[in-house]
Amino acid sequence: MTLNECISYLKEHDGYLLVTHIRPDGDTLGSAAALCHILRKAGKTAYVYDNPETTKKYEPWMKPYIAPAGFCPACTVAVDLASERLFPKGFPADTVFDLCIDHHPTNTGFAEHLFCMSDKASCGELILLIAKAFDALDKTAADLLYIALSTDCGCFVYANTTAETHEAAAELIRAGADHKYLNILLFRRFSFSRLMLEGLIYSTMKSYADGKVNVATVTLDMMERSGATEDDCDDLASLAGRVDGGYVSVTIRQLGDRESKISLRSGELFDSSAICALHGGGGHRMASGCTIYEDPDTAREIIVREILEAL
């Protein structure tokens, strides 16, 4: 779909349920909430699926849009979902999506219609275009979209940040986004448990290829020792990338005895998505993810070997 085709589709339909991805981040949540707000301003019935993994940081922003029990949508829309593997917990796996709005180049095309702009740093930038087309860019939409945009580019420090990203942020600020408050909330304030968890992560990091590849591991034991919960796990994937001289960073998050979530970040000459595709994952060239069904140590051996071979 083109942008105009997507806008026409949204105007022609009603009874929306907007769905965010598993382990939701600020982009999928902010984008879905903003789109819900936009559709409601246009007189549509719209709700967001109550993703059970939404953390406390984002719950207040999502609360006004959560679907009531028993809501039967006429149109189901995926927001920032690249594949069927990313359906949120508890969501029916056999759901047929009418539309997907996404910015991942590895989108599998699982929805009947797809509006995808892979050159955008966040899905929020696509929703911004929709908001302007609906003449619905008010302060509420601007706050939600600033959350989406800023979190997916790491407060404008990730390599996916472009001039267009900054221009979009400026447009949101002019529309009323409280960027000062949001920047502090999202990027400058952390719980004591989160800081203790970071200490454990840094103390066990491993480096390869003369410091070009750096790997951080987050085990279930670390979570228990630090007292951290899911609310403390935003943006852990950025920690390994802080090493001076590093080019590829890996974060391995243990989810079970034999389940490790892998997050890859890299410079533009290295294709992170190609590595993650070996394990059924994907994403962007410089930021991608997958799951390896092994313990963290074994997962590290596998992913490091593949990265070194690719390098």
Side-chain angles (χ1 to χ4, degrees), residues 47-69:
Y47 294 101
V48 177
Y49 175 73
D50 190 5
N51 193 321
E53 293 186 298
T54 301
T55 59
K56 291 180 180 179
K57 180 182 292 184
Y58 296 110
E59 283 178 353
W61 301 96
M62 303 305 299
K63 187 176 180 180
Y65 307 104
I66 297 302

Side-chain angles (χ1 to χ4, degrees), residues 117-290:
M117 299 180 71
S118 59
D119 61 325
K120 299 299 185 183
S122 68
C123 191
E125 291 175 68
L126 280 67
I127 306 301
L128 172 59
L129 297 174
I130 294 171
K132 292 193 290 185
F134 274 80
D135 193 24
L137 186 55
D138 57 12
K139 174 175 168 45
T140 298
D143 278 335
L144 293 168
L145 291 176
Y146 189 86
I147 290 171
L149 188 153
S150 64
T151 54
D152 233 32
C153 68
C155 202
F156 313 100
V157 299
Y158 292 167
N160 62 342
T161 305
T162 65
E164 287 187 347
T165 312
H166 286 290
E167 289 166 359
E171 190 167 4
L172 294 172
I173 293 169
R174 285 193 293 269
D178 191 352
H179 65 292
K180 297 177 182 178
Y181 166 73
L182 291 172
N183 285 341
I184 292 173
L185 173 70
L186 299 170
F187 306 106
R188 300 294 294 175
R189 290 291 184 266
F190 300 96
S191 70
F192 188 82
S193 294
R194 164 61 184 247
L195 298 178
M196 294 301 99
L197 178 61
E198 287 191 17
L200 294 172
I201 294 170
Y202 284 131
S203 67
T204 57
M205 279 180 57
K206 296 186 180 299
S207 186
Y208 305 84
D210 296 323
K212 294 183 179 66
V213 179
N214 297 286
V215 183
T217 303
V218 188
T219 66
L220 295 176
D221 178 64
M222 289 178 181
M223 294 287 290
E224 183 177 355
R225 288 166 59 193
S226 64
T229 68
E230 286 301 319
D231 295 332
D232 302 307
C233 292
D234 278 353
D235 201 30
L236 289 177
S238 69
L239 301 185
R242 297 179 180 178
V243 180
D244 189 23
Y247 197 75
V248 181
S249 64
V250 185
T251 301
I252 301 172
R253 172 87 189 277
Q254 183 183 17
L255 300 179
D257 290 340
R258 291 176 61 88
E259 183 178 0
S260 299
K261 179 180 180 292
I262 311 295
S263 297
L264 257 66
R265 303 291 184 266
S266 69
E268 60 185 350
L269 298 180
F270 187 88
D271 191 350
S272 294
S273 64
I275 298 295
C276 290
L278 299 174
H279 303 283
H284 301 281
R285 183 178 180 86
M286 295 183 287
S288 197
C290 63

